[in-house]
Amino acid sequence: MSKFSPFRSLLAITAAALLAVSWPAAAQQRVPADPATTGQKAEFIGNLVTRSVSVSRIEGSGDAAAMASLAEARTLVDRARADLKRGAVEAADDKLDQALALVNSEVRRLSGDEVRGAHEQEMYHRRLKAVNTFLATYQRVAKESNSRAAARRAEAIRTLIGKAEDQARGGRHDQALELLDDAYVIARGDIRELRQGKTLTRTLDFATAGEEYDYELGRNRSHFLLLRFALSEKTPAGSVVGRIESNRKKAEELRGAAEKRAAADGYPDAIDLLNQSTDLLLKTIRMSGIFVPG
Amino acid sequence: MRASKRRSLALGIMGLLFVALSVGTWFASSDDAAAEYGDVIINNYSDDAAMRPVIFPHWFHRIRFRCKVCHADLGFRFKAGGNDINMLKIFDGEYCGACHNGRIAWGVENCVLCHSGKPNMKTGVHNSTSDRLVAPVGR
Amino acid sequence: MTDRASIIAVLSALAIAAGGAALGTAGQVPQPAGDAPIIIAQATGAQATGPSAANTFNRLMKRPGSEPNIQPSKDGIHDPANPGTALLQWPSEAFAGFPRTNDGNRVDWVKTLAAGLIRPWTELEDPEAEPFLMDLTIVRQVKGSMPNVVYPHLEHTQWLDCTNCHDEIFVPEKGANQISMAGILLGQKCGICHGRVAFPISDCRRCHSQPKTAEELRQLSEKSSWAKQ
């Protein structure tokens, strides 16, 4: 310590900081055992052994060994509280950890694979849906390039999905998930090969006036909400607030008029009216102070 | 894993320094203080169990893990409170328990690090755009 | 290991004390967590706050996070009475030196990741695993003066798995999804993440990033095909 070098220590902490950011951290770290923290922990573990989902699980099971462990855990918490009163913080902390370990191992024993199994089953169903979508997408995308190899790839994916479904039917959702994962990895890799580096543009083109009207109605609705959003982000000056509100009313009237015209099949006019309403709203959104590009 | 031990020790000492250095400075006075963007409050069970609600900091975890790890591999749904997490599942190694097991991250005995919220808060992503639109602040 | 660890801890503590003192004498705003990254941030000039709170940018912004990256004990949701709260990391400490934005975490996560300032794991059991990246861009034309929306798969696959979006949020087919700004603001589609965890909606330009060409503007202002028939 006598040769304290600011530069070296800077390097050291820089390295330490970078490492700390790069690696998730430490097992076995725990909060310090001091009266406040351990006191709080005693309260929390007290709740865990008296009014938690774990307690309901143990009490609902009628399992004698589990009930005995729970009783022991409760005693440990009481004794920890007593330790705390006489300042034996480390001893209290130890007992609390023991109580926690008892509850932890008992509920895990009781639930067996049930909790994990239910989670895996749910993940399996979500994954299955996604993988089927990817298979369909792959087939759609591959059709453009019209390759015969694609049909074979699709067949391979389908086979894997089939195997996964077999496993799932037998209740082996963990293995089913692994098979689905293999299918997924093939599908996404093949899709990437066909799409990598591309830019696809969704252009606007409306087949009928009604369609364009619907789009404009949505766009108009978005602008009303954007105005509200702008006002939730910014506080415009008092003098502007009145103008914002009167513009908003005006835009609402224009929209009402548009809806009337549309109801009478006058779509082109309705579109014009909606555009006026939308343009007015855009101007008003800008008045509120938010930056809108374009 | 060594680095993190270093980090935790360093953090401990820094904790003391925080107190010394931060008195009345930088972020000192703030009435309408706001939590970090993306902090999730989870309170399906906590209030009823006399626990403080859980606060999950996205910013902290995304520095260490990609979204994929939690939301694809571990199966966290994109919905605050939507995973019905409880301690039983955590003990069993699911959700938070997949990491907070004393191996990848500190274990469950550190109740006070997760159960750190003010009582009676609503489950949700703090300060999300949609919440503020429905109930714009100060209005 | 432990003794080396503690030496480093003490060293950093001293460095912090020194750094804090130096800051104090320079007449700058003292930093809360005089951690190493903050010293780095000083060197690169990435300062979080200006000299006077009264003359900040966006004075009229009333975002509740007007004090960005505040420490947990003062953020309004963490309970300062909880003994664990003081042990939690401060965002400002973690973010020192990260490229900044004006919204959300005030962190540009795309740039932070690209610059290698963080190295988030992709697999829980394999820290070295690389993400599956795909460079496919979808542009969605928008009517009016608003620039078109550019949706880049590349930046998303840096963080997310394909199944995070397909098919629960988006059908993987260009144009097959109804997306509107109203829906996004209310937390649907892109708004499931943006406005909650990924950069927020107020940063219009990051999504609406393709200005329209004069030709495109002309075409869009003309009547659509239904009128030409």
Side-chain angles (χ1 to χ4, degrees):
Chain A
M1 287 278 55
S2 53
K3 280 197 208 142
F4 174 69
S5 146
F7 179 64
R8 292 267 301 270
S9 69
L10 200 90
L11 269 183
I13 42 180
T14 307
L18 281 177
L19 285 170
V21 168
S22 314
W23 275 282
Q28 309 310 337
Q29 180 195 343
R30 41 164 225 170
V31 298
D34 58 41
T37 316
T38 308
Q40 181 67 73
K41 186 166 161 181
E43 291 316 305
F44 281 171
I45 294 183
N47 293 333
L48 184 74
V49 298
T50 51
R51 53 197 302 183
S52 66
V53 172
S54 305
V55 167
S56 326
R57 170 60 59 100
I58 291 175
E59 288 178 341
S61 73
D63 184 291
M67 293 294 285
S69 295
L70 181 60
E72 195 187 337
R74 286 175 178 160
T75 315
L76 279 163
V77 173
D78 288 342
R79 286 172 54 208
R81 287 194 173 119
D83 282 347
L84 274 169
K85 270 212 194 88
R86 57 178 181 84
V89 181
E90 283 289 348
D93 212 71
D94 243 33
K95 294 196 178 71
L96 292 172
D97 284 346
Q98 288 171 37
L100 174 64
L102 277 171
V103 176
N104 185 336
S105 56
E106 284 302 334
V107 293
R108 276 164 63 188
R109 182 176 62 78
L110 285 180
S111 57
D113 295 338
E114 187 191 313
V115 177
R116 172 167 300 273
H119 192 200
E120 272 166 0
Q121 186 170 350
E122 186 211 314
M123 295 212 359
Y124 165 77
H125 287 296
R126 282 164 69 188
R127 263 298 157 101
L128 180 64
K129 210 167 142 262
V131 172
N132 275 319
T133 303
F134 271 92
L135 173 60
T137 302
Y138 172 59
Q139 287 174 310
R140 177 177 65 78
V141 173
K143 224 184 277 159
E144 295 164 12
S145 57
N146 205 6
S147 98
R148 195 161 327 135
R152 277 203 302 277
R153 304 289 285 174
E155 198 44 49
I157 297 169
R158 217 176 290 118
T159 308
L160 281 166
I161 296 177
K163 281 191 189 151
E165 284 175 319
D166 285 344
Q167 293 291 337
R169 266 191 292 276
R172 292 175 296 276
H173 289 108
D174 51 339
Q175 281 155 44
L177 268 170
E178 270 173 33
L179 287 160
L180 281 185
D181 223 53
D182 294 343
Y184 165 63
V185 165
I186 298 178
R188 78 172 179 190
D190 288 351
I191 291 172
R192 175 169 72 176
E193 210 148 278
L194 295 165
R195 280 288 183 258
Q196 181 80 340
K198 295 214 163 120
T199 298
L200 307 176
T201 304
R202 199 280 317 243
T203 49
L204 288 172
D205 193 26
F206 306 103
T208 65
E211 237 175 56
E212 179 159 5
Y213 171 77
D214 286 344
Y215 176 86
E216 288 297 353
L217 204 59
R219 196 162 77 94
N220 186 256
R221 174 160 181 258
S222 289
H223 280 77
F224 273 107
L225 210 60
L226 278 164
L227 176 59
R228 204 158 144 192
F229 170 70
L231 294 176
S232 79
E233 288 278 302
K234 299 266 193 173
T235 315
S239 58
V240 189
V241 171
R243 270 160 62 209
I244 289 179
E245 183 51 24
S246 76
N247 282 1
R248 198 190 58 78
K249 282 222 178 80
K250 182 102 196 296
E252 244 168 23
E253 284 161 24
L254 283 163
R255 181 202 175 101
E259 280 168 339
K260 276 209 193 91
R261 287 296 299 140
D265 260 3
Y267 285 122
D269 290 350
I271 292 169
D272 279 345
L273 284 165
L274 273 180
N275 274 328
Q276 286 172 37
S277 170
T278 302
D279 287 349
L280 181 61
L281 283 169
L282 183 60
K283 223 182 287 159
T284 313
I285 292 165
R286 291 199 164 117
M287 267 159 64
S288 72
I290 203 162
F291 178 84
V292 180
Chain B
M1 291 301 115
R2 279 155 288 151
S4 36
K5 224 171 223 160
R6 258 178 244 156
R7 176 175 166 265
S8 41
L9 266 162
L11 271 181
I13 296 186
M14 276 166 208
L16 296 176
L17 276 157
F18 276 3
V19 182
L21 282 176
S22 67
V23 187
T25 53
W26 222 25
F27 294 135
S29 63
S30 164
D31 300 328
D32 65 335
E36 192 58 30
Y37 180 72
D39 278 1
V40 181
I41 298 162
I42 312 179
N43 193 2
N44 290 331
Y45 292 96
S46 298
D47 275 347
D48 291 342
M51 299 293 296
R52 287 196 176 84
V54 172
I55 296 179
F56 172 81
H58 263 105
W59 65 269
F60 184 94
H61 287 87
R62 73 180 292 183
I63 287 175
R64 291 159 179 80
F65 301 95
R66 289 179 154 90
C67 328
K68 167 195 179 281
V69 172
C70 292
H71 289 292
D73 302 346
L74 298 179
F76 281 98
R77 287 176 173 280
F78 284 137
K79 175 119 190 53
N83 295 280
D84 197 32
I85 305 169
N86 58 39
M87 292 315 288
L88 207 162
K89 293 181 183 174
I90 292 175
F91 292 151
D92 210 40
E94 275 141 73
Y95 299 113
C96 321
C99 300
H100 289 283
N101 53 11
R103 191 171 63 85
I104 289 172
W106 40 258
V108 279
E109 69 279 9
N110 302 291
C111 325
V112 291
L113 295 181
C114 290
H115 291 274
S116 62
K118 291 182 175 166
N120 300 318
M121 287 189 300
K122 221 175 80 215
T123 295
V125 190
H126 187 74
N127 232 333
S128 67
T129 302
S130 49
D131 280 2
R132 276 158 60 200
L133 265 177
V134 174
V137 251
R139 186 171 292 259
Chain C
M1 216 54 254
T2 313
D3 45 335
R4 250 189 81 196
S6 54
I7 287 173
I8 288 176
V10 173
L11 280 178
S12 33
L14 287 173
I16 290 154
L23 281 170
T25 50
Q28 281 173 330
V29 188
Q31 303 288 316
D35 189 10
I38 285 178
I39 297 169
I40 299 165
Q42 294 286 311
T44 56
Q47 261 283 25
T49 47
S52 161
N55 300 321
T56 53
F57 278 88
N58 295 324
R59 192 178 55 81
L60 296 180
M61 295 303 249
K62 68 156 181 215
R63 297 199 192 92
S66 53
E67 303 250 28
N69 313 139
I70 201 163
Q71 73 260 43
S73 61
K74 291 187 175 160
D75 68 6
I77 63 171
H78 283 89
D79 193 342
N82 168 40
T85 301
L87 300 169
L88 298 175
Q89 194 180 23
W90 295 17
S92 56
E93 179 208 15
F95 298 163
F98 288 2
R100 298 187 67 81
T101 61
N102 291 321
D103 305 273
N105 295 128
R106 309 309 200 266
V107 170
D108 186 326
W109 291 104
V110 173
K111 289 203 185 110
T112 301
L113 184 64
L117 295 170
I118 55 174
R119 223 188 64 197
W121 291 14
T122 305
E123 299 278 346
L124 200 48
E125 297 303 336
D126 179 8
E128 303 303 324
E130 294 289 328
F132 179 89
L133 302 178
M134 180 174 75
D135 180 14
L136 161 65
T137 304
I138 312 272
V139 178
R140 296 187 53 121
Q141 212 178 25
V142 177
K143 225 175 159 184
S145 59
M146 204 67 204
N148 294 332
V149 176
V150 178
Y151 170 81
H153 271 89
L154 189 58
E155 279 77 4
H156 286 91
T157 50
Q158 276 288 359
W159 294 95
L160 294 148
D161 190 61
C162 317
T163 56
N164 283 137
C165 291
H166 302 308
D167 54 346
E168 281 181 21
I169 305 178
F170 300 108
V171 180
E173 183 171 351
K174 177 194 83 179
N177 301 271
Q178 275 270 1
I179 312 175
S180 81
M181 210 51 227
I184 293 172
L185 286 168
L186 294 174
Q188 297 153 5
K189 301 293 170 186
C190 317
I192 288 176
C193 298
H194 292 282
R196 289 176 171 172
V197 178
F199 72 82
I201 312 300
S202 39
D203 207 349
C204 319
R205 274 176 297 180
R206 274 176 93 179
C207 291
H208 292 271
S209 60
Q210 189 192 74
K212 298 193 183 85
T213 59
E215 170 66 10
E216 204 181 343
L217 272 174
R218 196 183 53 73
Q219 273 176 6
L220 277 172
S221 65
E222 270 180 10
K223 289 288 178 233
S224 293
S225 47
W226 60 266
K228 292 181 207 128
Q229 286 158 9

